Amino acid sequence: MRLIRPYGTRNGWDNGVSVATLGLSEAEREAVARLQRDVVEPSMTALVILQFTAEWCGPCKQLSPTLDKIAADYADKGVKLVRIDVDQEKVIAAQFRIQSIPTVYAFYQGQPVADITSYRTEGQLKRALDQLILQLGVKGEAAEQQAEIEPLIAMAEGVLADGEAERAVNIYRQIEEMAPADPAVIGGLARALLAAGQKDEARAVLDAAPAEIANHADVSRARAALEVTSAVPESDTSELDARIAANPDDLEARFELAGAKMATDRDAAADALLDIISRDREWNDGAARARLLQLIEAQGLEDPWARAQRRRLSALLFT
């Protein structure tokens, strides 16, 4: 990617694009105004991809669909695509000293910041844009929204950790109005509903989550928590205890005991599952390991208890 220094009028591009309009026709003055409106002003907050093109240009027609797709993919990251026909906007093409097309510049805060003409594939262009966005600190709508809701999510999580489930639900409901498709909001709301005893509502929230975030860590954690909460605890596990005492290798009894304890005693459930893994890690196609990982995920992967159980599991699997 070639970074470019601004050029144009004798005094440069101070305070944005400056095109002398003296002696221009009315149509040319309108073109200059469109450049200011469509490129310069949006570039004060967005990264504008400026493509110079023409109807007769074959390579331009080949590149345009790729740029259209990238602009759509990067819209929430603060990227905007603008095209200028060099035949219709000759004064603008001359101002930029366009000698061949397609020519593609990146514009930011009123200035051309990079020549990305040489990049023609989607992968090349996206890597160039990612680099520019990072270097220039471009903030799209998604980033701005994330910065706005992050402290609210932290507040809701703190309230939930303090045992005020209903209040956490109310906070998450308010955040949901701001960011209805955010996976952290969907997952947090579902977990708050579970803590408040509203299992059906939690399931409905997760079932309504957009397909593209179904496997996001926050949504997966909430689903794991739902499965753990859905486990029916047994008040009397004496029969299972007796079976295990009579036959320590009764892995089915240990698995049933873990299921009975999952919703009420995570330590006992984890111990029972780790006992199974220590005796036969592949028992029932790895069912004990899968159930333990589900229990860990439900707690949150960064939870101290969850980290401790992962260490216990790793010690069994890799020693």
Side-chain angles (χ1 to χ4, degrees):
M1 177 172 55
R2 182 169 68 87
L3 300 180
I4 57 178
R5 56 189 299 271
Y7 44 80
T9 62
R10 182 169 58 86
N11 293 324
W13 297 68
D14 296 337
N15 298 319
V17 177
S18 175
V19 181
T21 57
L22 185 63
L24 297 183
S25 68
E26 181 64 27
E28 290 171 333
R29 284 196 292 270
E30 290 178 359
V32 171
R34 283 196 297 274
L35 178 69
Q36 181 72 26
R37 182 191 67 234
D38 297 340
V39 177
V40 178
E41 293 177 3
S43 78
M44 302 314 292
T45 56
L47 182 65
V48 176
I49 305 307
L50 183 59
Q51 179 190 11
F52 289 91
T53 184
E55 283 294 325
W56 48 264
C57 175
C60 300
K61 293 180 179 179
Q62 292 177 340
L63 179 61
S64 290
T66 301
L67 290 177
D68 286 337
K69 182 179 185 303
I70 290 172
D73 291 344
Y74 277 66
D76 62 353
K77 296 182 180 181
V79 174
K80 175 182 173 67
L81 174 64
V82 177
R83 288 193 174 91
I84 289 182
D85 188 307
V86 297
D87 292 332
Q88 297 179 15
E89 311 282 15
K90 293 181 180 179
V91 66
I92 304 303
Q95 181 72 13
F96 280 87
R97 300 177 184 173
I98 301 301
Q99 297 179 345
S100 64
I101 54 174
T103 292
V104 185
Y105 290 149
F107 238 84
Y108 189 60
Q109 294 189 340
Q111 303 284 358
V113 292
D115 181 347
I116 56 176
T117 303
S118 61
Y119 300 139
R120 298 300 176 88
T121 70
E122 181 177 343
Q124 291 173 337
L125 286 162
K126 284 187 172 182
R127 284 191 292 272
L129 289 182
D130 288 339
Q131 182 180 347
L132 285 170
I133 289 170
L134 180 63
Q135 289 179 340
L136 300 172
V138 179
K139 302 294 184 183
E141 291 183 8
E144 292 176 358
Q145 182 184 74
Q146 193 64 31
E148 185 178 359
I149 67 174
E150 277 181 356
L152 300 177
I153 291 175
M155 178 194 302
E157 286 296 310
V159 170
L160 185 58
D162 289 339
E164 300 181 64
E166 291 288 354
R167 185 178 168 215
V169 169
N170 291 334
I171 295 173
Y172 267 119
R173 287 293 191 193
Q174 294 178 52
I175 307 174
E176 184 186 29
E177 294 179 1
M178 302 167 59
D182 188 281
V185 177
I186 292 172
L189 175 58
R191 287 186 293 104
L193 287 165
L194 284 173
Q198 302 177 50
K199 189 182 302 183
D200 291 341
E201 290 82 352
R203 190 182 299 278
V205 166
L206 293 173
D207 288 345
E212 59 270 21
I213 65 169
N215 295 322
H216 189 280
D218 290 305
V219 178
S220 295
R221 178 189 176 187
R223 285 202 179 278
L226 176 62
E227 293 303 315
V228 169
T229 306
S230 298
V232 180
E234 292 185 17
S235 57
D236 183 7
T237 59
S238 57
E239 182 180 344
L240 293 173
D241 293 331
R243 284 173 57 187
I244 294 170
N247 179 12
D249 289 326
D250 187 343
L251 304 187
E252 185 65 41
R254 291 184 183 275
F255 192 73
E256 291 181 20
L257 179 64
K261 297 290 187 182
M262 280 183 68
T264 57
D265 189 344
R266 64 183 184 181
D267 289 324
D271 289 345
L273 293 168
L274 286 164
D275 279 339
I276 296 172
I277 296 168
S278 68
R279 294 170 185 275
D280 183 356
R281 66 182 63 178
E282 299 304 327
W283 176 79
N284 199 12
D285 294 327
R289 184 168 66 251
R291 180 65 62 86
L292 178 61
L293 290 174
Q294 183 183 66
L295 184 60
I296 290 172
E297 187 177 28
Q299 305 303 315
L301 298 181
E302 297 306 315
D303 179 82
W305 183 88
R307 288 200 298 268
Q309 305 314 310
R310 286 209 309 273
R311 287 194 295 270
R312 295 177 69 192
L313 177 60
S314 296
L316 284 177
L317 295 178
F318 302 108
T319 56

